Amino acid sequence: MSGDVEFPMNGGDGANSYSKNSRYQVEAVNVVTEMIKEAIAKKQYFAAGVPGSFYGRLFPKSSIHLMYSSFALQWLSKVPEELLDNGSLTWNKGKIHYTIASKEIADVYAAQFAKDMDTFFNARADEIIVGGMMILIMPGFADGVQYSQDPSCPFFYAFNQSLLDMVKLGMINEDEVDSFNLPLYATSPKEMAKLVERNGCFNIERMEVSNTRPQNDGPPIVPAILTHYRVGLEGIFTKHFGSKIVDELFERTLNKSAEISSMLESSCVEGAQLFLVLKRK
Ligand SMILES: C[S@@+](CC[C@H](N)C(=O)[O-])C[C@H]1O[C@@H](n2cnc3c(N)ncnc32)[C@H](O)[C@@H]1O
């Protein structure tokens, strides 16, 4: 479901492509494969892929028995406008994400996520038959984990610092950083339960926080993870700042690997994804 969408991953099969750099996503899906098998007791099925945004209708009415989405719902439908409201409390000046910003900014992201999930649930509710299932895997945390403990935070912080360094060197303008925000969000079971309930079209059959990586995988390898970020974020950075700065931005961020590693030590690297099975009422 990624035809004509705002936020495409890097295509092709080159060194910086999504297909060559999605080991973590594959491992994360492997971790929950058994849970998925348990959730689907028995299913002959036709699989279908269509272009278009999942924030709109994609399939005919009441045509879907099982819907599956992995690592896609963290993408908001858009950057919330309040973040660009110059001078207001919700103006995200000099910052590129809520994980490194104030609570007001995090609230703006949460409100956008709530709207988006409602739109998503309504579209899927039209498409999924009564009794049909929806399986979602997305970035998420146990209730009570602070958003600053998101393991993406050290990476977003380092990207942010690299951009500010580049402002100081006159390579980009301050305004360009002020007006850039990553439309990415990670949720919690409590927040998700509230959104599902408020929407009213689905029952929660199962929901749990699970690990994105196998237990014995050792400490996170920052340069490898940075390449994963590059395949997902290069497009959005390029669109805003232009293609000329992208190599410089990733090079500078790579040079902050030691700082990222040390920040990751206080991050919540375990249990950083939400697994959710919903049933259409
Ligand atoms: C990290 S990739 C995950 C791809 C795949 N599901 C996996 O697990 O490897 C996120 C995908 O979501 C797509 N995406 C983001 N926003 C979308 C939207 N509103 N509608 C459809 N696809 C979207 C992106 O283009 C990208 O292909």
Side-chain angles (χ1 to χ4, degrees):
M1 288 195 298
S2 59
D4 188 19
V5 295
E6 278 283 305
F7 312 118
M9 308 293 101
N10 278 0
D13 57 5
N16 285 326
S17 64
Y18 186 82
S19 67
K20 287 269 162 65
N21 292 281
S22 30
R23 183 176 81 92
Y24 291 105
Q25 287 90 325
V26 171
E27 285 176 356
V29 171
N30 287 344
V31 169
V32 294
T33 298
E34 281 311 311
M35 298 186 208
I36 293 173
K37 282 187 188 158
E38 280 172 35
I40 312 165
K42 193 180 167 192
K43 286 269 185 186
Q44 283 185 330
Y45 59 88
F46 295 103
V50 295
S53 170
F54 46 59
Y55 291 122
R57 277 284 300 279
L58 292 166
F59 298 99
K61 204 169 170 55
S62 299
S63 63
I64 304 288
H65 292 238
L66 173 71
M67 166 91 206
Y68 170 77
S69 163
S70 73
F71 290 101
L73 285 170
Q74 72 274 20
W75 284 102
L76 300 175
S77 64
K78 60 174 188 171
V79 171
E81 279 125 35
E82 299 93 310
L83 302 178
L84 309 175
D85 193 0
N86 189 330
S88 79
L89 262 185
T90 61
W91 184 29
N92 203 16
K93 179 171 171 45
K95 305 269 172 61
I96 65 168
H97 197 240
Y98 70 94
T99 50
I100 48 175
S102 66
K103 181 172 180 314
E104 283 79 10
I105 303 297
D107 288 346
V108 168
Y109 271 81
Q112 183 66 50
F113 181 71
K115 267 188 236 155
D116 285 348
M117 286 313 300
D118 200 48
T119 307
F120 177 81
F121 289 143
N122 285 336
R124 301 296 79 76
D126 275 350
E127 297 164 354
I128 297 175
I129 59 158
V130 171
M133 311 286 276
M134 178 151 73
I135 298 171
L136 309 177
I137 304 172
M138 64 183 97
F141 298 95
D143 296 326
V145 171
Q146 301 296 309
Y147 62 77
S148 55
Q149 286 175 276
D150 182 330
S152 301
C153 176
F155 293 90
F156 296 155
Y157 173 80
F159 283 127
N160 211 138
Q161 289 307 112
S162 302
L163 288 168
L164 293 177
D165 292 345
M166 290 162 79
V167 170
K168 278 193 206 129
L169 292 168
M171 301 167 96
I172 50 176
N173 295 323
E174 195 177 355
D175 288 356
E176 289 179 88
V177 179
D178 291 348
S179 57
F180 180 79
N181 293 282
L182 287 167
L184 291 167
Y185 189 79
T187 186
S188 67
K190 197 169 160 193
E191 181 178 43
M192 203 46 156
K194 205 166 86 187
L195 298 179
V196 173
E197 195 181 322
R198 199 169 73 186
N199 173 268
C201 297
F202 295 89
N203 282 321
I204 297 176
E205 295 290 302
R206 186 167 176 171
M207 174 156 63
E208 56 195 80
V209 169
S210 58
N211 289 331
T212 44
R213 308 176 315 131
Q215 297 278 357
N216 56 0
D217 208 29
I221 302 159
V222 171
I225 302 175
L226 262 178
T227 310
H228 276 67
Y229 277 104
R230 181 164 189 158
V231 302
L233 302 183
E234 183 167 331
I236 193 167
F237 279 123
T238 302
K239 196 169 171 189
H240 188 84
F241 294 101
S243 56
K244 284 202 196 112
I245 68 109
V246 166
D247 283 339
E248 180 82 25
L249 171 64
F250 283 92
E251 194 82 17
R252 284 177 174 274
T253 308
L254 188 62
N255 289 339
K256 298 183 193 303
S257 292
E259 201 179 346
I260 296 173
S261 286
S262 110
M263 285 179 79
L264 276 172
E265 281 169 25
S266 53
S267 299
C268 189
V269 283
E270 301 304 329
Q273 72 180 6
L274 194 67
F275 171 72
L276 192 62
V277 180
L278 301 176
K279 193 172 189 176
R280 176 75 172 101
K281 283 185 188 170

